[in-house]
Amino acid sequence: MNVASITEMWDRLTGTQPAPSHWLVGATALVALAAVVLRGVWHVTRNAVTIAHEGGHGLVALLTGRRLQGIRLHSDTSGLTVSRGRPHGPGMVFTAAAGYTAPPLLGLAGAGLLTAGHITALLWGATALLLVMLVMIRNAYGVLTVVVTGALFLLVSWITRAQVQAAFAYLVVWFLLLGGVRPVAELQGSRRRDRSGASDADQLARLTGTPAALWLLLFYVVALCSLFAGGRWLLVR
């Protein structure tokens, strides 16, 4: 790869792209909403939320000094992230809290990039994060899910026209913003049915001595505030 090619790639990464039309922004929002609301579709698309959820656990575990052992993604859209370190303390708390907050916060960050016109940066950044996550996947289904998702981002960013890239980027961000709310509602419902105390909220309750309901409320606040702020940015632009 020569200097000219590297310069061109850098210019694409750091440069800005024109905003899509208002109808496209609205259309991608409706498609994303359907992908979250329709039960049959959600069973498939929820895998993307699980990737963000477990990736959030893994990233925060590393940032807080814990040793990340591996990530597993399952066909029922559940997942598991295993890290080693102190069983108590801030690092463990932040790691446990990162799962349900990661998808909406990623959506909010993506909305910020799109508002600034950095469509290519969003697509390439997402591809890079998926590549890093792939190294820590420890089961075949997880590898397949991350590879397919990463390949989709890569293909869209390299072989499609600017309008298609914009539509895909907005669809992804809308989906993360909207899809960050439903898992919290599902968590609330599952806690009513299952009293085993295995959920992230229950784990946080044991770690901090505070009610699990407060952590559930925090997850709702992060998801809804991210949806409101991110959606406003996208629609205003």
Side-chain angles (χ1 to χ4, degrees), residues 8-95:
E8 182 181 356
M9 289 182 62
W10 179 252
D11 289 340
R12 286 186 62 188
L13 179 62
T14 59
T16 59
Q17 293 75 44
S21 59
H22 289 295
W23 74 264
L24 188 145
V25 175
T28 54
L30 291 176
V31 173
L33 180 62
V36 172
V37 172
L38 299 178
R39 180 175 298 181
V41 180
W42 175 243
H43 184 71
V44 176
T45 58
R46 197 186 193 282
N47 285 284
V49 176
T50 303
I51 290 175
H53 180 112
E54 300 303 331
H57 282 313
L59 177 60
V60 174
L62 291 174
L63 291 176
T64 55
R66 298 180 63 79
R67 296 186 301 276
L68 183 59
Q69 300 295 301
I71 299 172
R72 301 177 70 88
L73 306 173
H74 305 132
S75 58
D76 63 353
T77 72
S78 66
L80 176 66
T81 299
V82 178
S83 63
R84 293 287 183 266
R86 291 181 57 192
H88 302 283
M92 189 61 196
V93 172
F94 286 128
T95 299

Side-chain angles (χ1 to χ4, degrees), residues 83-219:
S83 63
R84 293 287 183 266
R86 291 181 57 192
H88 302 283
M92 189 61 196
V93 172
F94 286 128
T95 299
Y100 283 96
T101 56
L105 290 177
L106 284 173
L108 183 62
L113 284 173
L114 293 183
T115 302
H118 295 295
I119 296 173
T120 301
L122 184 146
L123 296 176
W124 289 7
T127 305
L129 288 174
L130 288 166
L131 183 61
V132 172
M133 185 176 178
L134 181 62
V135 178
M136 299 308 302
I137 299 295
R138 295 293 182 264
N139 66 321
Y141 183 81
V143 169
L144 176 63
T145 303
V146 174
V147 167
V148 170
T149 305
L152 180 60
F153 274 89
L154 188 62
L155 288 174
V156 169
S157 64
W158 276 102
I159 67 175
T160 64
R161 297 177 299 173
Q163 191 76 352
V164 176
Q165 293 178 15
F168 181 75
Y170 273 79
L171 177 62
V172 168
V173 170
W174 275 120
F175 177 75
L176 287 172
L177 291 171
L178 293 164
V181 179
R182 180 164 179 173
V184 183
E186 292 175 342
L187 172 62
Q188 183 180 10
S190 67
R191 289 190 68 253
R192 292 198 192 101
R193 297 187 299 271
D194 182 7
R195 298 293 182 175
S196 64
S199 72
D200 289 0
D202 292 298
Q203 183 181 10
L204 285 162
R206 290 191 295 271
L207 288 169
T208 61
T210 56
L214 286 181
W215 290 102
L216 188 64
L217 177 62
L218 173 66
F219 296 157

